[in-house]
Amino acid sequence: MTIRVMLVDDQVLLRTGFRMVLAAQPDMEVVAEAGDGVEALQVLRETPVDVVLMDVRMPKLDGVETTRRICSEPEPPKVLILTTFDLDEYAFSGLKAGASGFMLKDVPPGELLAAIRSVHSGDAVVAPSTTRRLLDRFAPMLPSAGKEPQHKELERLTDREREVMVLVAQGLSNGEIAARLVLSEATVKTHVGRILTKLGLRDRVQVVVLAYETGLVRAGGHG
């Protein structure tokens, strides 16, 4: 299956570089490009896309708002935020807007390609440690939670699912969670899937964001 990619960036040279890298891959095709968010939304109405590589700082409509609008559509493409600086506040906003992860613009080509494939297959591509650092830094921007998590949807989770959610938010992989809870990896995967479904979340990145927002996990990664 060919992964249909869209490049959204106001720098033509950068789009050209990404296009050359992706064009060399047998399983990828750049099907659309846009120089700002307004143009991107227009193009997406007419062009089927699987993964959008989204710059954050653009004229007319920035990448965060564009991501929010894309992800509010039924069956939207996956969005990968591209940022110049690690721990950029735009990356944090992008994750909250529905992006499946973020990458630095100077990422090695191999990592970018792996990220696109990961996102397309339904995984998040922000390393848990990076997500934690991002959220720890911007924890003051989050609504202050009381002693108990404030998100009423969390009440839908079983005790085990909540336990798994905390460990996901602390950055553990399915294998590590399985070892910690003495479960099979397949069982953990099932729990994660149920968490996503019950809470209406797209991927593990959004699980982490929600866990911080609700106070289920505190800054520093502790539940």
Side-chain angles (χ1 to χ4, degrees):
M1 177 188 295
T2 300
I3 302 172
R4 299 166 296 187
V5 180
M6 180 178 188
L7 306 176
V8 184
D9 197 298
D10 60 339
Q11 297 180 44
V12 176
L13 194 60
L14 205 79
R15 295 206 309 266
T16 301
F18 282 140
R19 186 170 62 246
M20 289 174 64
V21 170
L22 300 183
Q25 304 304 306
D27 61 339
M28 294 184 194
E29 179 185 2
V30 176
V31 295
E33 294 186 33
D36 61 66
V38 173
E39 185 184 359
L41 293 172
Q42 291 171 343
V43 172
L44 279 171
R45 291 190 190 105
E46 303 167 358
T47 309
V49 172
D50 299 312
V51 177
V52 179
L53 296 186
M54 178 74 69
D55 185 24
V56 285
R57 305 183 192 199
M58 297 182 294
K60 297 185 183 178
L61 194 65
D62 68 29
V64 173
E65 180 58 28
T66 305
T67 297
R68 185 175 292 111
R69 295 188 190 184
I70 289 173
C71 293
S72 68
E73 294 291 323
E75 299 185 17
K78 304 288 187 177
V79 178
L80 254 180
I81 293 283
L82 296 173
T83 180
T84 308
F85 303 104
D86 198 4
L87 295 181
D88 190 324
E89 69 273 15
Y90 287 95
F92 174 79
S93 300
L95 296 180
K96 285 177 62 65
S100 293
F102 73 94
M103 304 289 291
L104 295 178
K105 283 190 176 181
D106 61 357
V107 65
E111 288 186 29
L112 177 66
L113 297 171
I116 293 170
R117 292 185 181 105
S118 262
V119 162
H120 182 250
S121 71
D123 292 333
V125 300
V126 184
S129 59
T130 307
T131 307
R132 283 207 308 276
R133 286 191 295 115
L134 184 77
L135 290 167
D136 287 347
R137 171 156 172 182
F138 295 106
M141 295 167 53
L142 297 173
S144 56
K147 293 291 184 185
E148 289 300 316
Q150 300 299 307
H151 200 274
K152 64 181 184 297
E153 274 74 11
L154 291 182
E155 296 171 4
R156 299 176 185 171
L157 302 182
T158 64
D159 289 344
R160 177 63 90 187
E161 287 165 355
R162 186 178 290 224
E163 198 173 5
V164 170
M165 182 173 177
V166 168
L167 295 177
V168 168
Q170 289 176 355
L172 276 65
S173 68
N174 284 355
E176 290 167 337
I177 294 172
R180 178 80 63 90
L181 299 180
V182 197
L183 299 170
S184 72
E185 199 164 337
T187 299
V188 171
K189 190 172 182 181
T190 299
H191 283 312
V192 172
R194 285 177 181 159
I195 292 166
L196 296 177
T197 300
K198 286 183 178 181
L199 300 182
L201 305 176
R202 288 186 183 83
D203 51 42
R204 296 170 82 96
V205 171
Q206 293 196 325
V207 171
V208 178
V209 172
L210 182 62
Y212 273 73
E213 281 188 318
T214 58
L216 189 63
V217 170
R218 301 283 188 261
H222 302 292

